[in-house]
Amino acid sequence: MRLRIINAGGDTAFRFGVTGHQLTITHTDGYPVAPHEAESVVIGMGERYDAILTAGDGVFAVIAEALGKVDQAVAILSTGAGSPPPPGTALPQARTPTVAADLTAADDVALGSKRADRTIALELTGTMEKYDWAINGTRMNMDNPLRDALAISEGTHRSYHHELDHDVASHASAWTHVPAPRRRPPQGHLDRAPRAVPSP
């Protein structure tokens, strides 16, 4: 069966898996990746994964474990006779959970490697206390959102270097930020980025 797994949460990353099964990840955010076998996958806020699962015969727990929080969501996959998993059933972790950085673009959608014309440094700052998030010390102007925007022309090849200040990093300890497989941004592109149209 094909699963489309979406994290619609605003502040929680989840580790997703099905007890007794492996997932074959085929897409992330609609873009095809080289098939990747995973016991479980970490899904960040707003991320989407497509995976193929070959269901065994029986009753299994489908688990989304809230990372950094003592909670989880559980559903039941029933394909045959058997008793439901008992309350408190946990998602196994015999293997390191898959994250986006473990995936690579599928060969038929990957772009060739190109050198960046420009490097853009982004310093992410702010505090949970005041919610004063900023980039390079500048908050977005709500009345004129593009006033302090970084200008990037179409076709420019660029690389990004970002840093979290100490306060942001201390509040991000519950989750790990990892780069997604290198995908095509709305304008221009990065090397090795897929160029396929997202799947419906």
Side-chain angles (χ1 to χ4, degrees):
M1 66 178 67
R2 179 180 178 183
L3 304 177
R4 176 159 291 169
I5 313 145
I6 302 171
N7 181 354
D11 68 351
T12 304
F14 290 90
R15 184 168 73 95
F16 174 88
V18 180
T19 57
H21 290 78
Q22 297 292 304
L23 303 170
T24 301
I25 299 172
T26 61
H27 295 73
T28 175
D29 292 338
Y31 290 90
V33 297
H36 181 90
E37 295 294 320
E39 176 188 58
S40 62
V41 58
V42 174
I43 308 175
M45 290 72 79
E47 283 191 310
R48 182 181 95 187
Y49 286 88
D50 287 7
I52 301 297
L53 180 143
T54 302
D57 187 25
V59 182
F60 309 94
V62 180
I63 299 175
E65 174 191 346
L67 298 181
K69 303 177 181 180
V70 187
D71 207 353
Q72 65 180 20
V74 180
I76 300 298
L77 171 64
S78 178
T79 59
S83 300
T89 296
L91 191 59
Q93 191 170 325
R95 297 169 54 188
T96 300
T98 292
V99 295
D102 297 324
L103 307 176
T104 56
D107 289 340
D108 59 340
V109 297
L111 298 179
S113 179
K114 292 190 178 181
R115 186 172 180 172
D117 307 313
R118 177 182 175 194
T119 298
I120 300 173
L122 303 176
E123 183 182 3
L124 310 181
T125 61
T127 64
M128 290 293 290
E129 181 180 358
K130 297 181 179 179
Y131 284 85
D132 53 346
W133 311 116
I135 297 176
N136 296 342
T138 302
R139 298 184 66 187
M140 185 177 75
N141 185 304
M142 298 303 291
D143 296 324
N144 186 5
L146 297 180
R147 188 188 68 181
D148 301 304
L150 296 169
I152 301 173
S153 59
E154 184 173 355
T156 299
H157 302 282
R158 62 236 183 242
S159 63
Y160 298 94
H161 173 72
H162 63 68
E163 295 180 354
L164 293 176
D165 74 7
H166 175 74
D167 189 76
V168 174
S170 68
H171 286 90
S173 59
W175 55 276
T176 302
H177 172 76
V178 293
R182 306 178 77 174
R183 299 190 290 267
R184 178 190 287 263
Q187 295 185 351
H189 64 274
L190 299 174
D191 53 307
R192 296 295 296 172
R195 55 175 176 267
V197 176
S199 63

